[in-house]
Amino acid sequence: MDFNQQDAQTSSIKEPNMLPLIDVMLVLLVIVLITSPLLTKALNVDVSNGQAQAVQSAQLTLSINDKGTWLVNGQALNQAQVRHYLTEQAEQTDLSVHLNVGSKTQYQDVHGLMSLLNELNIDKVSFAKQDEQKK
């Protein structure tokens, strides 16, 4: 077969193949349709006309040293006093507790304090390890 040979009667006009172009355009369309909802993130904000209520928040530092002594803002208290103090503070304000633990503190002491915080529904707790003092 000779492709270069043309009949005198039929003059054919060569047209470009459009199928690859259509395939590429369809793939790009699918990509755009999939990614466009991911790019638009809406944040629904309810702006009310009412008065804003002030929420009091308090930060409390609880420490347990290596001997198992509980300290509230640097003051040594027993477990009953800590429970009473935390109950009062949790009722009055939105309480945030910062917990300092010594490096040799017993697990049972930390567990007891965490159980107390859980009972009182205090869920804003941050942890820190007390630095050992160099002698």
Side-chain angles (χ1 to χ4, degrees):
M1 296 181 114
D2 190 12
F3 291 105
N4 293 330
Q5 190 179 30
Q6 292 183 352
D7 294 339
Q9 299 172 348
T10 61
S11 64
S12 64
I13 301 174
K14 294 190 177 189
E15 296 180 7
N17 188 0
M18 296 297 289
L19 287 178
L21 180 64
I22 293 171
D23 289 343
V24 169
M25 296 304 283
L26 287 175
V27 168
L28 290 175
L29 178 66
V30 168
I31 290 172
V32 168
L33 289 176
I34 291 173
T35 58
S36 63
L38 298 174
L39 296 176
T40 56
K41 292 184 179 183
L43 178 63
N44 296 330
V45 177
D46 182 22
V47 180
S48 63
N49 293 333
Q51 296 289 334
Q53 296 178 353
V55 176
Q56 293 180 349
S57 63
Q59 185 172 1
L60 180 70
T61 302
L62 291 175
S63 302
I64 303 176
N65 62 12
D66 295 339
K67 298 175 185 174
T69 306
W70 291 16
L71 304 166
V72 177
N73 290 335
Q75 180 182 2
L77 300 175
N78 63 24
Q79 293 180 11
Q81 292 171 331
V82 172
R83 176 184 291 275
H84 180 68
Y85 183 78
L86 288 176
T87 304
E88 287 180 353
Q89 292 296 318
E91 290 175 355
Q92 294 175 3
T93 61
D94 184 25
L95 189 60
S96 174
V97 175
H98 184 75
L99 182 60
N100 291 324
V101 180
S103 61
K104 296 180 182 176
T105 303
Q106 296 291 320
Y107 172 76
Q108 292 82 7
D109 295 330
V110 178
H111 181 265
L113 183 56
M114 292 301 298
S115 297
L116 176 62
L117 295 174
N118 189 29
E119 286 176 23
L120 299 176
N121 293 326
I122 299 172
D123 56 354
K124 295 180 182 176
V125 180
S126 61
F127 293 93
K129 179 182 168 188
Q130 292 177 353
D131 293 330
E132 294 183 23
Q133 296 176 353
K134 296 181 181 179
K135 294 182 179 180

